[in-house]
């Protein structure tokens, strides 16, 4: 059973080419389990507070991806890619003492974690990759990628509120994307409580490069199948048909496996972070079960 002791949290900064990364360590010196790394993208460490608390019986590491929250880019307009994020995570793993770690990675973080295992399989013993929004490997990839491109274009043209409204419409779309879906204009931001005025800023990590380079990433499935890492794809029980959920099934099929189904939707592990509440207790219990199966 998990311990009720709250581990000490320490925050660290790590200089890497083009950025300064911030990461947090919740250390449990009595644990004999591998370090548990929790990553998202562009979501940062603050999205994992509830989930991390469920694993106080082991050392947990979280971080802010470059350009997100506390991790500052040298050039705010610089391009970010899954391979670049993978290099960052590799450096953090080295900084905390080296792998192999166990990793739960969600959304864009799951894409970046697949890139990490491709480049550095020795870093990760077990990867649970939850709902990677990989438009690139869907049967309807042409229109799925057109939709993610449209999010970015709306953001660049009309600003954050319009871009975020377009993002919500795309990620909540159920089933295959069509030409009609790809050409659909962005919904009114006010519908989602988003600002309708453009403040002129264009530094949002989600609507900027991440909307382009993440969904378009094409995993090296030969390298993933050959890796020493055990890769478990995961999908949300309540997000069936959505692009990120479909991405998990598509990766699993290419790896010759089936995804595990975790409680809730894309944010099933959250307990109020960013205003989202999933099914964190049930999610953590299922995640613990998968982690317990080891490598």
């Amino acid at each position: 059973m998990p311990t009720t002791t709250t581990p000490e949290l320490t925050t660290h900064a790590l200089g890497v080419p083009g950025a300064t990364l911030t990461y947090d360590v919740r250390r449990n010196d009595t644990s004999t389990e591998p370090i548990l790394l929790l990553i998202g993208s562009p979501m940062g460490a603050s999205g994992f507070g509830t989930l991390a608390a469920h694993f106080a019986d082991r050392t947990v590491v979280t971080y802010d991806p470059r350009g997100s929250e506390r991790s500052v880019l040298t050039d705010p307009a610089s391009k970010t890619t899954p391979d670049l994020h993978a290099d960052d995570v590799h450096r953090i793993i080295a900084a905390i003492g080296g792998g192999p770690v166990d990793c739960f990675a969600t959304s864009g973080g799951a894409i970046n974690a697949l890139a990490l295992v491709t480049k550095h399989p020795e870093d990760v013993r077990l990867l649970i990759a939850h709902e990677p929004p990989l438009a690139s490997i869907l049967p309807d990839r042409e229109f799925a990628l057109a939709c993610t491109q449209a999010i970015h274009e709306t953001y660049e043209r009309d600003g954050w509120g319009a871009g975020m409204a377009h993002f919500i419409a795309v990620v909540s779309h159920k089933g295959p994307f069509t030409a009609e879906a790809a050409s659909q204009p962005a919904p009114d931001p006010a519908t989602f409580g988003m600002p309708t005025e453009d403040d002129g800023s264009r530094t949002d990590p989600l609507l900027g490069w991440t909307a382009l380079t993440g969904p378009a990433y094409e995993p090296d499935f030969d390298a993933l199948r050959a890796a020493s890492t055990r890769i478990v794809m995961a999908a949300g029980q309540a997000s069936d048909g959505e692009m990120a959920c479909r991405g998990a099934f598509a990766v699993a099929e290419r790896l010759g496996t089936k995804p595990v189904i975790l409680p809730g939707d894309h944010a099933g592990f959250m307990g109020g972070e960013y205003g989202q509440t999933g099914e964190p207790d049930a999610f953590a219990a299922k995640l613990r079960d998968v982690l317990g199966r080891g490598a």
Side-chain angles (χ1 to χ4, degrees):
M1 294 293 292
T3 179
T4 57
T5 304
T6 302
E8 177 187 2
L9 185 149
T10 58
T11 298
H12 309 263
L14 179 65
V16 299
T20 299
L21 304 176
T22 299
Y23 66 95
D24 299 320
V25 179
R26 294 169 172 84
R27 185 169 298 282
N28 185 320
D29 290 326
T30 66
S31 175
T32 58
E33 296 292 332
I35 290 172
L36 176 59
L37 182 64
L38 306 177
I39 64 173
S41 183
M43 186 186 78
S46 58
F48 291 110
T50 299
L51 186 60
H54 281 276
F55 292 93
D57 55 324
R58 57 196 295 175
T59 295
V60 176
V61 175
T62 56
Y63 94 115
D64 296 340
R66 63 170 60 214
S68 295
E69 302 186 22
R70 301 166 298 172
S71 290
V72 181
L73 293 169
T74 304
D75 174 8
S78 59
K79 181 177 181 179
T80 58
T81 66
D83 282 326
L84 188 56
H85 286 301
D87 290 340
D88 289 344
V89 177
H90 171 66
R91 292 185 178 101
I92 288 174
I93 291 172
I96 60 177
V101 301
D102 287 346
C103 179
F104 170 76
T106 185
S107 194
I111 297 175
N112 300 342
L114 291 171
L116 171 68
V117 169
T118 298
K119 302 177 77 172
H120 302 285
E122 71 283 356
D123 280 354
V124 184
R125 181 188 75 145
L126 169 63
L127 167 63
I128 303 171
H130 177 244
E131 297 207 345
L134 281 168
S136 64
I137 61 171
L138 299 179
D140 47 314
R141 60 166 284 156
E142 176 185 357
F143 301 127
L145 287 170
C147 285
T148 60
Q149 175 74 35
I151 293 169
H152 179 75
E153 291 174 355
T154 296
Y155 171 61
E156 289 293 333
R157 182 182 64 248
D158 299 325
W160 184 84
M164 185 58 70
H166 205 158
F167 171 81
I168 293 171
V170 169
V171 299
S172 60
H173 176 87
K174 298 279 189 178
F177 290 94
T178 62
E180 181 181 5
S183 61
Q184 193 76 14
D188 182 354
T191 304
F192 301 101
M194 304 294 175
T196 57
E197 294 185 1
D198 182 1
D199 66 3
S201 66
R202 295 295 185 272
T203 56
D204 185 270
L206 174 63
L207 304 175
W209 285 111
T210 299
L212 296 178
T213 61
Y217 177 76
E218 298 191 16
D220 183 339
F221 287 103
D222 288 339
L224 292 174
R225 283 189 288 265
S228 56
T229 305
R230 180 182 171 220
I231 301 172
V232 177
M233 302 307 300
Q237 187 175 33
S239 50
D240 184 51
E242 295 173 1
M243 180 170 66
C245 182
R246 295 174 64 213
F249 277 86
V251 174
E253 181 179 9
R254 296 287 292 272
L255 294 178
T257 64
K258 292 184 178 181
V260 299
I261 306 302
L262 298 178
D265 57 14
H266 195 62
F269 55 92
M270 289 190 178
E273 293 88 348
Y274 305 112
Q276 300 185 67
T277 301
E279 301 177 32
D281 293 346
F283 191 102
K286 181 67 173 181
L287 181 61
R288 180 175 290 278
D289 177 63
V290 178
L291 286 165
R293 300 172 201 171

